[in-house]
Amino acid sequence: MPPPSPSSPTRFQGVFPRARALPPPVKLLLSSMVLFNVGFYLVVPFLAVHLSDDLGFAGWAVGLVLGLRMFSQQGMFFLGGSVADRFGVRPAVLVGIAIRVVGFLVLGFSDTMIAVVVGVLLIGVAAALFAPAVESANAVYGRKLQEQGVMRRTDLFAMEQMCSRTGTVIGPALGAVLLAFPFSWTAVTAAMLFAAMWVGFYRWLPADDDAAVAVREATTLRLVWRSVLTNKSFLVFAALCSFQLLAYSQLYLMLPDQLERGLGSQAALGWFYVGAAVFVIVGQTPTVACAHRIGHRAAILGGLTLIAVSFLAPVAGAGQAATPLVQIVLLAVWVVVLHLGQMLMIPPMRDTIGALAGEANLGAHFGMLNTIGGVLCLLGSLAVGAIFDLVDLGRVPAATSWVAVSAAVFAATAALAVWTARAGAVRAIMPRRVSG
């Protein structure tokens, strides 16, 4: 059994140190989080609009495309993380970024189902290569910074979330402006941004830094895979926590659809994404401080519960009686509470994964979490898309999809609570309360 994460240090006085306290590679990785999300949110949040309005795809087809995008990305994270563990962070990042450039260009000029699917698969596979590599490197650096008394690893993960959300402020805003132009313009803009990032990583990401060496301990991919697939505690934990990915993925399907149904327009879509990102940037610091006080277990379970509860808010506005203002307010409540749950659970969840992995082969372990989540996202997007088609035919109530997703996350929360209560070794890694 891997040793527990040192999650209760008392020597840290602040949540975040000054940026100059971080090593240069960490600064590069955090900066990349901003740019990755600018490019991503230029395109993906508006993909459902493009597919339904510009290309005329049916609801099930939109759900399939979005689900395939999530599956190819999250579903392939295990393989991509294993590649980073075996061959190093730098090659995984460079190859992944190059593939994403190609994917955006293909998607931007596609007008058939097959071509669109090829584009979204390339975009997803690209992230499956570079995202686990970056996550594993940050996890290694976070452990070192914690051992040095600079900051908790959960704080570094929180900083990563804030940097990511900074990109999601800029990306949707720019994407909303580009809605006035053909979708191909948006896709080309994103491709150019990722091409520039490839140059930056090629020049400034070291191939032999501490993190790159630490994640290349395994001599074969088979040893990497065995370390993950035989780790039963990790697999159970990852399976239950991955339901937060299922919930979050519905933002790209349910929010555009609900805006269209309730208000007759998706014009406010970009502002919802921007508002959510600003909320995370402002609220992540006090939220991770709360997670430190209540402990990993309470933060993770509480976060999953909040995510499930959030889906109940739009139920009241799913019918015809609610006014547009009420529907906007309820959707805003959904988005805020959903993100609050993620802010509370993700930093301690990732720290726990590192501990369950024994601080080895972190790319594959983080990747497996997302692979399980990718399967759930594919199934969930197909199911919700099919429910929306049934709603259009008048066969099911409009609130059915919201209740279904909420029930799934509630079930995962209950199962995780029971499992952590019974797993003695896990209780040491997920303490009830953390001091300091």
Side-chain angles (χ1 to χ4, degrees):
M1 175 60 61
S5 171
S7 53
S8 58
T10 59
R11 59 186 178 277
F12 304 113
Q13 301 301 318
V15 176
F16 297 110
R18 295 179 179 178
R20 59 186 175 86
L22 299 176
V26 176
K27 295 178 183 178
L28 173 65
L29 295 171
L30 291 176
S31 299
S32 73
M33 291 295 185
V34 179
L35 298 178
F36 280 151
N37 281 281
V38 171
F40 178 84
Y41 279 92
L42 268 175
V43 176
V44 174
F46 306 98
L47 183 56
V49 180
H50 171 63
L51 296 178
S52 59
D53 293 353
D54 299 338
L55 301 184
F57 285 11
W60 71 267
V62 175
L64 176 62
V65 170
L66 295 179
L68 285 173
R69 201 278 307 170
M70 286 292 294
F71 176 74
S72 62
Q73 176 174 322
Q74 310 292 351
M76 295 291 289
F77 263 41
F78 177 51
L79 179 58
S82 300
V83 169
D85 289 336
R86 174 63 183 88
F87 300 103
V89 169
R90 190 171 187 267
V93 169
L94 291 177
V95 172
I97 294 176
I99 293 175
R100 175 154 282 191
V101 171
V102 175
F104 276 137
L105 292 176
V106 171
L107 184 62
F109 295 96
S110 298
D111 56 6
T112 66
M113 184 69 172
I114 293 177
V116 167
V117 168
V118 171
V120 297
L121 288 178
L122 289 173
I123 290 171
V125 170
L129 284 172
F130 64 71
V134 171
E135 288 182 356
S136 63
N138 271 335
V140 172
Y141 280 118
R143 178 166 55 89
K144 291 180 179 295
L145 292 171
Q146 182 162 286
E147 292 171 350
Q148 295 166 2
V150 176
M151 67 189 309
R152 297 178 180 89
R153 179 160 65 175
T154 49
D155 290 336
L156 181 60
F157 291 150
M159 290 183 70
E160 183 180 298
Q161 292 292 310
M162 294 173 68
C163 289
S164 296
R165 297 301 177 167
T166 300
T168 66
V169 173
I170 302 171
L174 183 56
V177 172
L178 291 176
L179 280 176
F181 300 92
F183 182 77
S184 59
W185 289 34
T186 303
V188 169
T189 301
M192 292 173 62
L193 177 60
F194 272 85
M197 280 192 288
W198 188 94
V199 175
F201 273 99
Y202 181 81
R203 292 191 60 184
W204 295 305
L205 182 64
D208 57 352
D209 61 348
D210 293 341
V213 172
V215 298
R216 293 175 63 183
E217 297 172 348
T219 56
T220 66
L221 287 175
R222 182 178 179 180
L223 292 178
V224 175
W225 296 337
R226 180 183 297 172
S227 70
V228 176
L229 298 177
T230 59
N231 191 339
K232 295 181 180 179
S233 294
F234 161 75
L235 290 174
V236 173
F237 180 76
L240 296 175
C241 286
S242 64
F243 275 83
Q244 60 91 14
L245 287 170
L246 165 67
Y248 187 77
S249 70
Q250 299 311 308
L251 275 176
Y252 304 121
L253 180 60
M254 300 175 78
L255 181 57
D257 184 272
Q258 194 68 22
L259 289 173
E260 186 68 39
R261 292 174 188 273
L263 306 179
S265 170
Q266 299 179 13
L269 180 62
W271 295 109
F272 269 90
Y273 292 125
V274 171
V278 172
F279 176 66
V280 173
I281 294 170
V282 173
Q284 183 66 81
T285 298
T287 305
V288 77
C290 176
H292 292 153
R293 289 193 296 271
I294 66 177
H296 281 30
R297 196 186 328 174
I300 294 170
L301 291 174
L304 272 176
T305 302
L306 285 173
I307 290 170
V309 169
S310 72
F311 281 82
L312 300 180
V315 170
Q320 299 297 322
T323 65
L325 178 60
V326 170
Q327 293 187 49
I328 285 287
V329 171
L330 291 173
L331 287 174
V333 170
W334 168 51
V335 172
V336 167
V337 179
L338 172 63
H339 282 82
L340 183 62
Q342 284 205 315
M343 291 157 58
L344 184 63
M345 75 169 291
I346 288 180
M349 178 192 73
R350 293 184 60 190
D351 187 48
T352 302
I353 288 175
L356 287 170
E359 307 299 340
N361 296 326
L362 294 176
H365 282 84
F366 285 125
M368 178 56 81
L369 169 72
N370 290 278
T371 290
I372 297 172
V375 174
L376 289 177
C377 291
L378 174 60
L379 298 176
S381 293
L382 280 173
V384 171
I387 290 173
F388 282 154
D389 286 339
L390 293 175
V391 170
D392 290 335
L393 296 174
R395 296 180 180 177
V396 299
T400 301
S401 58
W402 301 93
V403 175
V405 177
S406 183
V409 183
F410 267 130
T413 306
L416 183 60
V418 172
W419 177 72
T420 56
R422 293 182 176 180
V426 176
R427 288 200 297 269
I429 297 174
M430 296 174 59
R432 289 187 180 277
R433 186 170 297 276
V434 177
S435 60

